[in-house]
Amino acid sequence: MDFDLSWVLWGLPIAFVLGWLASRLDLRQMRIENRQAPKAYFRGLNFLLNEQQDQAIDAFIEAVQNDPDTSELHFALGNLFRRRGEYERAVRVHEHLLSRGDLSRADRHRAQHALALDFLKAGLLDRAEEALRKLEGTAFEGQALLALLAIYERSRDWPQASEIAQKLEASGQGSFGGRQAHYLCEQATSAPPAQAEQLLRQAMELARGAARPGIDLAALQRRAGDAGTAFRTLSTIAHSAPAAIPLMAKPLTEAAMASGEQAEALKILHGSYELAPSLDVLEGIVALEPDATAAREWYVKHLEREPSLVAATKWLAGEKLEHEQFHPFVQSALDHAVKPLTRYRCAACGFEAKQHFWQCPGCQAWDSYPARRVEEL
């Protein structure tokens, strides 16, 4: 059969036209898809700015479906789920990102950090710890260490918390000597006396300006029956941390009375009171004052310097009223009224408590409770 060259000549233009049409159709489809994805994305942003999170999530899901390889949309969607408290869905989004083989190293670390936050917010501390440990050596290492520190503090795993604090300090994240001293004090609360004393002395060396190790050590010495040593320990702390004298006023008074050091204790308390009048220091002075009349006059002296309902109530408790039969009712009402004024208040979150805390039970901040009562703030 003879080959007809005319078919080749006709076929080349036809093939070119068909190829051109196919490419135009592909480009058109690509433009449609590219227009749809940004449209859904910007619609989601608009909903997000207007605090319409449900509609924003729907828009982002649509954008992800149109372009499943867009990692930024996945991150936005996962963050939205976490903010709404839908932690399971946030975990699925970030785990899907981590399963992708084409994800860059930086985005993989970012997804790992986001996954750790999902577990942390959900209260899954063991899984959060595992996820955070994988961020060592990444750009998120500092944030991961801080999150691990919070986990170990919440779980009261003080040795692990101390290890993380050392890493943070070594990486230039700040000074954690005070916190590590607190960790040692916390361990001392459940340790045998000999080990507890060793831990407390180690804490005193680690944070020389901190009051807690010395106060706890004096309490340990008092329990052992050594009031004299306890008084000397508190005297040393009173000179190195004078702002904490209101906290140690009561144990200082008790140790002084048990060891016969009333005069020295009064000297310490008088000096502190002259610099900064305090209700707790006032109570220590009243308890140590040998003359009962002079002791009661201290309440009046305090009222001359500070308008204190607490001091007025204590002074009135020892006075005889004209209508004596009504005194118990008046005193009871005053005692009830001053109770909120004798609490301690966290400077970080405002949580109030009857006793002083070294770590706030509300916000977990350390050393956030001033040494003064609410009325004195």
Side-chain angles (χ1 to χ4, degrees), residues 90-103:
V91 166
R92 285 201 298 271
V93 169
H94 294 129
E95 284 182 339
H96 170 70
L97 275 171
L98 288 170
S99 67
R100 284 173 47 180
D102 61 337
L103 201 64

Side-chain angles (χ1 to χ4, degrees), residues 284-296:
I285 294 173
V286 170
L288 290 171
E289 185 65 53
D291 186 352
T293 303
R296 287 189 44 74

Side-chain angles (χ1 to χ4, degrees), residues 104-254:
S104 68
R105 184 181 180 84
D107 279 348
R108 186 169 299 280
H109 295 160
R110 183 181 170 189
Q112 183 67 39
H113 180 248
L115 181 63
L117 292 181
D118 297 338
F119 291 140
L120 196 60
K121 290 290 186 179
L124 303 173
L125 300 186
D126 53 341
R127 300 187 68 180
E129 178 186 358
E130 181 184 354
L132 290 167
R133 288 285 187 181
K134 294 179 180 179
L135 290 168
E136 187 174 352
T138 71
F140 295 93
E141 183 177 11
Q143 300 175 50
L145 288 175
L146 287 172
L148 281 171
L149 188 65
I151 289 175
Y152 293 137
E153 288 185 356
R154 285 177 62 184
S155 59
R156 305 184 68 80
D157 189 342
W158 306 119
Q160 288 275 36
S162 181
E163 178 190 339
I164 297 299
Q166 291 175 20
K167 288 184 178 180
L168 282 166
E169 189 162 351
S171 63
Q173 295 289 329
S175 175
F176 288 82
R179 276 202 187 186
Q180 293 188 63
H182 280 301
Y183 300 157
L184 292 169
C185 291
E186 292 290 342
Q187 293 177 65
T189 58
S190 58
Q195 184 182 355
E197 181 176 353
Q198 183 180 359
L199 290 168
L200 292 173
R201 292 194 181 279
Q202 185 180 347
M204 292 174 71
E205 288 293 324
L206 192 61
R208 293 183 178 275
R212 182 185 182 182
I215 293 175
D216 289 357
L217 179 59
L220 184 67
Q221 291 163 345
R222 282 282 285 132
R223 288 195 296 270
D226 194 350
T229 303
F231 177 77
R232 288 190 292 273
T233 299
L234 291 172
S235 299
T236 302
I237 297 300
H239 288 95
S240 63
I245 291 180
L247 289 179
M248 67 179 76
K250 184 176 180 180
L252 180 72
T253 301
E254 293 173 349

Side-chain angles (χ1 to χ4, degrees), residues 269-288:
L269 294 176
H270 282 160
S272 174
Y273 186 86
E274 289 303 317
L275 291 175
S278 162
L279 289 170
D280 291 290
V281 173
L282 174 65
E283 284 299 300
I285 294 173
V286 170
L288 290 171

Side-chain angles (χ1 to χ4, degrees), residues 14 29 246:
I14 292 173
Q29 182 65 25

